[in-house]
């Protein structure tokens, strides 16, 4: 029996900004934010910042600003930056802005040269840098606003999934793991799913009924997966969907390949999806290594007073050692020692199993507790601000890590990865990466998997710079979230406090692997948990 999905929650205003209306509105906002931010940056640089005796009058400066803004907005548009309206922020979109900002610098210099106006390359490069930062800040604010609207049901594409095979499941799984992407799959049509992993989607009919079902449920479009329809039925369904005003999307490209590596061509009028090979070469690797060395060296010099202060604070709070070294998996699955500031009390690793029932990472090999009771007072602050990661700059200088890359996995975690996920090790692990800036607080392991594999398959210099820039607001947002959480107290060694989860003798207890049975943990051991 066919069931109708429940309409989205939210006010009528939220319903009016869905589908095509939402696309138009968000795209206009994106263009307006990019143009205003670029105009501000280039205006300050060329109008306000140019000395009066430089020979650049107000009219000429205004023309150069217009050229710069048009070049930046046009550069983003050429890269389809305004088509991916569902995800307005993020480092991948900022990478598009970086390329467009570089194009605007060239456009300003060429226009100045043709007009015989003296604009120094340094001033033009500074204008490009300021435009990158201002546009990035504007997009970050817009992404926050858009996310809030999406929680109320606005700016969300509600789609019907056509098909029930493995491709359909993977698409639904990916969308379900990224609620920030602005996409909601409300059901599927096709054969009943009898094999593979289960999913929480209602079956709403046969695949050939997709246009009728989607229109009847008030949805925005169809997502058709491979094998769901035959060639003749596929054409008929697409024609019927367009007649009813529905959007049609075909899913079938490689999962982790960047869209810019895909192009549609034809063979005798038959559409074919062409996949460009992944760019590789020693020159790119050497350029990345050089960027890592220079940037890490500068950051280490700038951060050295802070690192000295952190070391003193750790010693005063909980004694030595200051640093914590942990065995991680690096490039080509080679193990290395990762350096961090010690944030937990000594001996914590021996008792991690007793806290497994509190793991906030859900299913999967990752383990994380936001309010870990093993953390010291200083450690909680370091973890909230990610200052504990600064010693990894030594790993970057040593060559075992990069500034940007997949998260360095523990040896035990990596042993549980399948062959596909282990391929992430073809690039160096990083201090920050796509997963850290886009889904750090997302407990779904699929998001971790998808973002790390996407980076390993598609990394570029522009993406690395964008991730580094996007890391700053990400740290700010994570720090605010950590401050709102109630702190977990750390009791001194030998304290005997009875509380929920303690037995009659005052010993802290945990649950066993089956979720039942209390395992006593000596209080002195609990207070002596060590770093992670």
């Amino acid at each position: 029996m066919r069931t109708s999905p429940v309409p989205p929650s939210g006010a009528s205003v939220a319903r009016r900004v869905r589908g095509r209306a939402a696309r138009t509105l968000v795209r206009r906002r994106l263009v307006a934010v990019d143009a205003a931010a670029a105009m501000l940056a280039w205006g300050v640089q060329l109008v306000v910042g140019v000395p009066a005796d430089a020979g650049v009058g107000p009219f000429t400066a205004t023309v150069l600003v217009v050229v710069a803004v048009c070049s930046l907005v046009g550069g983003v548009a050429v890269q389809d930056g305004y088509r991916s309206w569902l995800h307005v922020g993020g480092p991948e979109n900022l990478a598009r802005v970086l390329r467009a900002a570089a194009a605007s610098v060239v456009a300003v210099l060429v226009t100045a040269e043709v007009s015989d106006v003296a604009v120094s390359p340094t001033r033009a490069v500074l204008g490009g840098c300021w435009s990158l930062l201002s546009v990035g800040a504007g997009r970050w604010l817009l992404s926050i606003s858009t996310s809030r609207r999406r929680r109320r049901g606005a700016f969300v594409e509600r789609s019907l999934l056509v098909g029930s095979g493995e491709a359909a499941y993977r698409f639904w799984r990916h969308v379900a793991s990224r609620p920030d992407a602005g996409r909601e799959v409300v059901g599927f049509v096709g054969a009943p799913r009898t094999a593979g992993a289960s999913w929480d989607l209602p079956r709403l009919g046969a695949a050939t009924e997709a246009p009728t079902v989607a229109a009847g449920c008030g949805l925005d479009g169809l997502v058709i997966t491979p094998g769901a329809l035959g060639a003749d039925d596929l054409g008929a369904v697409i024609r019927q969907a367009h007649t009813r005003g529905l959007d049609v999307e075909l899913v079938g490209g490689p999962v982790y390949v960047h869209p810019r590596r895909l192009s549609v061509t034809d063979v005798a009028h038959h559409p074919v999806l062409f996949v460009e090979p992944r760019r590789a070469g020693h020159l790119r690797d050497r350029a990345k290594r050089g960027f890592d060395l220079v940037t890490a060296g500068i950051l280490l010099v700038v951060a050295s007073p802070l690192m000295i202060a952190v070391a003193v604070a750790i010693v005063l709070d909980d004694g030595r050692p200051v640093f914590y070294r942990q065995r991680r998996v690096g490039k080509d699955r080679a193990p290395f020692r990762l350096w961090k500031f010690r944030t937990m009390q000594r001996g914590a690793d021996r008792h991690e199993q007793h806290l497994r029932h509190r793991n906030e990472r859900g299913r999967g090999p990752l383990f994380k507790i936001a309010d870990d009771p093993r953390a010291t007072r200083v450690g909680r602050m370091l973890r909230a601000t990610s200052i504990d990661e600064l010693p990894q700059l030594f790993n970057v200088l040593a060559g075992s890590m990069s500034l940007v890359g997949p998260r360095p996995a523990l040896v035990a975690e990596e042993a549980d990865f399948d062959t596909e996920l282990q391929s992430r090790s073809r690039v160096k692990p990083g201090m920050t990466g796509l997963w850290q800036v886009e889904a750090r607080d997302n407990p779904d392991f699929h998001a971790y998997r998808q973002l790390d594999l996407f980076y390993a398959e598609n990394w570029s210099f522009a993406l690395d710079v964008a991730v580094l820039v996007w890391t700053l607001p990400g740290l700010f947002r994570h720090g605010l979230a950590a401050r709102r959480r109630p702190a977990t107290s750390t009791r001194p060694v030998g304290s005997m406090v009875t509380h929920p989860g303690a037995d009659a003798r005052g010993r802290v207890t945990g649950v066993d692997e089956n979720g039942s049975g209390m395992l006593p943990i000596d209080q002195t051991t609990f207070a002596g948990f060590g770093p992670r």
Side-chain angles (χ1 to χ4, degrees), residues 300-323:
L300 197 58
V301 172
V302 173
S304 56
L306 174 62
M307 296 176 68
I308 293 173
V310 169
V312 173
I314 292 174
V315 172
L316 295 177
D317 180 52
D318 195 53
R320 297 185 179 186
V322 171
F323 297 106

Side-chain angles (χ1 to χ4, degrees), residues 286-302:
R286 290 175 180 174
K288 183 179 176 72
R289 178 60 180 153
F291 178 76
D292 285 342
L293 286 173
V294 173
T295 307
I298 294 174
L299 290 176
L300 197 58
V301 172
V302 173

Side-chain angles (χ1 to χ4, degrees), residues 351-358 373 499-503 506-523 526 529:
H351 302 279
E352 181 180 300
Q353 289 298 324
H354 298 306
L355 296 172
R356 279 282 172 180
H357 65 287
R358 294 179 55 183
H499 54 84
D503 62 13
R507 296 180 300 175
V508 179
T509 55
V511 296
D512 63 12
E513 296 178 350
N514 299 319
S516 62
M518 307 306 291
L519 301 176
I521 309 172
D522 186 84
Q523 180 71 23
F526 186 80
F529 280 147

